[in-house]
Amino acid sequence: MPRPKRPQHYYDEIKDKFREERNLRLGYRPPGTDQYTSELSGDLAKYAVDPYAKDVPTREPIADEVEVLFIGGGFSALLTSARLRERGLESIRIVERGSDVGGTWYWNRYPGAACDVVSYDYLPLLDELDYVPVNHYSRGPEIFNHCQAIAHKYNLYDLAVFNTTVTETRWDQTDQLWHVKTDRGDLMRAQFVICANGTLAKPKLSAIKGMEGFAGHSFHTSRWNYDYTGENLEHLKDKVVGIIGTGASAVQIVPELAKVAKEVFVFQRTPSSIDIRDDWPTDPNWARKLQPGWQHKRREKVLAAVENSLEKRAAKGATSPEEKLRKQENANIDYMMRIHRRIDEIVDDPSTADALKPWYMFMCKRPCFHNEYLPSFNLPNVHLVDTQGQGITQISPQGPVFDGKEYGLDLLIYATGFEVQQTGIYNDIVGAGGVNLQDKYSQGIRTLLGIHTAGFPNLFIMGGYQASFQFNLTEMLQTQGDHIAACIDYVRANGHHVIDVKDEAEEWWVQNVIQHRGKTNRSEECTPGYYNFEGNEQRRQDGNYNGGFRQYFQHQGQVREKMEDNFHLAARKN
Ligand code: NDP
């Protein structure tokens, strides 16, 4: 349907409102990322405890040597391991904080957990595992099972070590191996270490006055306590439940709470944009017709379609850059106003509907898709507490306090998100010459492809900054895994022992990242959130590579074509 033609002042007024809301929100919480804490120790230590690890066995500390050691057992490790196995690598160890593989899908078991990327694209290695997902969008348990199936297929459980947190990863110049220490007293040695600790793995809490003194039960969304709630939330029937945050996790949880709990209070600071989520069971006739290699072909087709549409848009290039930007912004605003109209159509109470309307450009925050979230607010037991950009700033022993009102709760759920794309969470990474990775990065992140960083030989980073950013994260991680496996294979096949990126290659990539960052000032104009570092000023190199996904993996290929130019490669010193 063609869009109705609206005068430019209509769009300009909405942009003014976006700015107003952003400034309001920033005014309340200027400290950016410092408003959160992920140091979950002391009174907050309970928020980090793994509720899924039952009867953790005691074991002797490990002191052995493997070829490849992964820190973390989520998709990064699984996808890279698959490629390493295909290349004949035998000695692969996953060291994982949880009690199984799965990463995000191990931790995020909250009711309603599901993925917003179409399952046939998101679930990796479908060709290799000869598996077709059961729905158009996969639910959490199916994805977790798929992770376990990958680990079984590629024999990754054999050497895996669970319930173990890596605390230090230090390059030992004498034996030219990484020495990996853990919280279980291990000292494992490894030729190659892959930081596979996930992009959103370390839970963070909003630092709120009085939070330690809350007398009820509380947990973070990634540590759901089914002992307390019951497997089907049946223990919440007579409980008053509050949830802080309205991001993608809360959007999936609220409808489940709404069905069962006596009362639900949703404490909102900034609303998410909620669009339709069309889901259906996979058609068995379609699944039967799929030929081996179908997933790979499908991904190629999706990528080509995106590129073609970009090319078409570029071909229309008679418009000036300003005109192009204006058209993009207007189309974006039209989309957001459709999201507003959808809220009005679904939510009965006009003031609740108004409070649920997001006032920012599409993609300023992670968009959400759900059919039951908005209707939940029509239920008599569900109450929106709209803090209008301020957020909850105080928690009494009874519960959150806002605008002089205390909300007495039995259960308080923190849906306040995670540390984003950090490398070496829980873990000090010390390279050649005793340099700590965080000290190196404190002057600005420096990598080649977001994967290699000079002075840290035989170390590979996955899911960190300076890599491409994809809504379908597994696709991005698979390209990183393919690249890493190819590099390790090259080292082994050519009689080398050590690979370390050259300074010139690293500098080339840093400049490449800088050149493609900040093509628009969209991120500065956006309401704060983790996409724009909570409104913090950011060095241009301290973010993702925005030059395009295809270009990203083409660069990977080009880097590998000239291994000797881009890397110091050396045999093991005797
Ligand atoms: P987010 O970081 O997206 O959301 C945190 C929420 O907490 C925000 O709504 C934030 O408000 C709110 N908040 C923080 N402090 C306060 C406070 N003091 N008072 C009130 N509210 C507060 O975390 P999520 O766990 O929801 O999502 C993280 C990411 O994980 C997603 O963006 C997505 O990438 C991924 N994910 C994907 C899913 C999927 O595929 N469906 C499902 C779940 C997660 P404000 O917006 O104002 O900062």
Side-chain angles (χ1 to χ4, degrees):
M1 218 170 53
R3 279 190 278 127
K5 190 122 185 72
R6 300 186 193 279
Q8 187 55 37
H9 69 82
Y10 163 85
Y11 295 105
D12 292 342
E13 281 161 21
I14 291 173
K15 268 192 84 178
D16 286 345
K17 169 84 172 156
F18 286 178
R19 205 166 297 122
E20 246 172 62
E21 292 281 318
R22 172 185 185 277
N23 291 340
L24 181 78
R25 162 75 172 73
L26 261 179
Y28 286 125
R29 284 262 166 160
T33 48
D34 290 346
Q35 68 183 288
Y36 289 101
T37 178
S38 61
E39 286 318 311
L40 302 181
S41 54
D43 287 340
L44 300 182
K46 63 179 179 178
Y47 294 103
V49 172
D50 179 355
Y52 319 118
K54 308 278 184 210
D55 306 322
V56 174
T58 52
R59 63 166 176 79
E60 290 300 310
I62 299 169
D64 63 0
E65 184 179 327
V66 294
E67 268 178 297
V68 178
L69 186 145
F70 287 92
I71 302 172
F75 273 133
S76 299
L78 299 172
L79 302 182
T80 310
S81 297
R83 296 298 179 241
L84 288 169
R85 286 280 194 242
E86 286 162 9
R87 289 171 181 272
L89 228 109
E90 285 180 5
S91 166
I92 299 176
R93 167 170 292 151
I94 285 172
V95 184
E96 165 58 54
R97 192 170 159 84
S99 57
D100 205 335
V101 297
T104 286
W105 301 101
Y106 171 88
W107 294 108
N108 288 283
R109 302 191 201 188
Y110 57 76
C115 183
D116 283 341
V117 179
V118 171
S119 59
Y120 321 118
D121 299 318
Y122 181 76
L123 280 192
L125 302 174
L126 294 179
D127 292 325
E128 287 83 346
L129 270 81
D130 194 18
Y131 180 71
V132 181
V134 296
N135 284 304
H136 191 238
Y137 290 104
S138 286
R139 319 269 152 85
E142 184 186 24
I143 308 175
F144 183 28
N145 288 343
H146 190 66
C147 292
Q148 292 169 320
I150 295 172
H152 281 298
K153 178 175 168 76
Y154 294 100
N155 296 328
L156 299 175
Y157 282 115
D158 294 354
L159 281 181
V161 179
F162 295 112
N163 309 299
T164 302
T165 301
V166 172
T167 51
E168 187 189 89
T169 307
R170 183 179 287 271
W171 177 251
D172 188 281
Q173 199 64 39
T174 311
D175 64 7
Q176 300 203 297
L177 295 172
W178 285 100
H179 285 193
V180 179
K181 288 188 182 166
T182 76
D183 64 345
R184 305 281 297 265
D186 307 308
L187 175 55
M188 307 168 190
R189 284 162 290 131
Q191 184 182 356
F192 301 101
V193 164
I194 301 174
C195 294
N197 60 236
T199 53
L200 294 159
K202 194 176 189 189
K204 63 181 167 58
L205 302 174
S206 180
I208 302 174
K209 199 169 116 203
M211 65 196 295
E212 294 88 351
F214 176 60
H217 202 88
S218 59
F219 51 75
H220 184 271
T221 50
S222 66
R223 302 289 187 277
W224 196 273
N225 187 339
Y226 281 100
D227 287 344
Y228 179 83
T229 64
E231 270 312 305
N232 299 304
L233 310 189
E234 64 276 12
H235 301 162
L236 300 183
K237 271 192 194 114
D238 59 351
K239 298 282 190 289
V240 181
V241 182
I243 183 163
I244 295 185
T246 50
S249 300
V251 165
Q252 294 185 330
I253 292 167
V254 167
E256 303 305 317
L257 295 174
K259 286 175 202 163
V260 185
K262 182 176 159 202
E263 306 261 16
V264 181
F265 290 92
V266 181
F267 299 98
Q268 172 185 276
R269 185 165 67 182
T270 313
S272 283
S273 72
I274 320 281
D275 209 343
I276 299 164
R277 188 171 196 276
D278 277 334
D279 195 10
W280 54 79
T282 297
D283 178 354
N285 290 325
W286 174 76
R288 258 194 301 275
K289 276 191 234 141
L290 295 169
Q291 298 295 319
W294 67 270
Q295 187 183 37
H296 180 72
K297 283 190 202 129
R298 181 186 157 91
R299 284 187 165 176
E300 273 301 308
K301 240 165 106 178
V302 171
L303 210 57
V306 173
E307 283 169 355
N308 284 343
S309 82
L310 288 176
E311 260 171 41
K312 269 193 204 147
R313 265 191 264 158
K316 280 188 187 165
T319 47
S320 67
E322 295 76 27
E323 179 66 3
K324 207 169 130 199
L325 181 64
R326 194 176 59 78
K327 279 190 172 162
Q328 278 172 359
E329 284 184 347
N330 290 358
N332 189 316
I333 290 170
D334 284 335
Y335 173 83
M336 290 305 278
M337 293 305 110
R338 181 171 76 67
I339 292 292
H340 283 203
R341 283 195 297 281
R342 192 166 170 265
I343 297 168
D344 282 330
E345 282 156 19
I346 294 173
V347 179
D348 297 338
D349 173 53
S351 65
T352 306
D354 271 349
L356 286 165
K357 288 177 184 161
W359 288 97
Y360 46 80
M361 290 281 184
F362 181 62
M363 288 309 283
C364 274
K365 278 186 174 294
R366 201 280 201 178
C368 296
F369 306 87
H370 210 289
N371 296 348
E372 293 177 66
Y373 178 73
L374 294 171
S376 301
F377 293 96
N378 293 334
L379 297 171
N381 60 329
V382 179
H383 318 281
L384 181 69
V385 182
D386 178 25
T387 67
Q388 295 163 20
Q390 193 171 351
I392 293 300
T393 53
Q394 195 191 338
I395 297 179
S396 78
Q398 279 66 44
V401 179
F402 180 69
D403 217 7
K405 187 170 169 188
E406 185 178 68
Y407 294 84
L409 303 177
D410 297 302
L411 170 63
L412 175 59
I413 300 164
Y414 287 91
T416 45
F418 302 87
E419 292 284 353
V420 183
Q421 291 187 261
Q422 299 299 315
T423 302
I425 52 175
Y426 311 110
N427 171 24
D428 265 339
I429 302 173
V430 185
V435 176
N436 190 304
L437 184 67
Q438 299 315 329
D439 289 341
K440 174 174 175 177
Y441 278 9
S442 68
Q443 308 300 315
I445 295 174
R446 296 189 65 77
T447 73
L448 172 63
L449 300 165
I451 297 174
H452 316 265
T453 187
F456 294 78
N458 292 7
L459 184 87
F460 301 90
I461 297 162
M462 299 185 74
Y465 284 123
Q466 296 196 348
S468 178
F469 179 80
Q470 279 288 98
F471 198 65
N472 183 7
L473 190 62
T474 55
E475 196 170 7
M476 204 290 286
L477 295 175
Q478 185 69 76
T479 69
Q480 292 197 324
D482 293 352
H483 173 81
I484 292 167
C487 289
I488 290 177
D489 193 43
Y490 184 91
V491 172
R492 284 158 41 96
N494 291 281
H496 302 302
H497 178 79
V498 176
I499 175 170
D500 192 5
V501 61
K502 289 185 180 170
D503 289 336
E504 323 69 280
E506 186 177 89
E507 175 61 14
W508 163 73
W509 187 251
V510 170
Q511 292 310 324
N512 217 336
V513 171
I514 290 173
Q515 186 199 330
H516 286 101
R517 294 264 301 160
K519 283 184 187 162
T520 71
N521 52 358
R522 172 75 49 81
S523 144
E524 286 149 43
E525 289 176 355
C526 278
T527 189
Y530 78 84
Y531 274 14
N532 67 350
F533 311 93
E534 304 293 335
N536 277 354
E537 284 269 338
Q538 205 68 17
R539 275 193 210 94
R540 284 165 72 83
Q541 72 202 68
D542 291 355
N544 291 308
Y545 165 73
N546 290 341
F549 182 53
R550 175 81 84 183
Q551 286 76 358
Y552 179 63
F553 69 71
Q554 278 170 351
H555 281 311
Q556 291 178 346
Q558 286 155 4
V559 163
R560 291 200 305 274
E561 271 167 28
K562 296 190 173 164
M563 291 294 283
E564 311 286 332
D565 290 351
N566 289 312
F567 298 99
H568 300 288
L569 292 148
R572 192 170 192 169
K573 287 185 202 135
N574 291 318

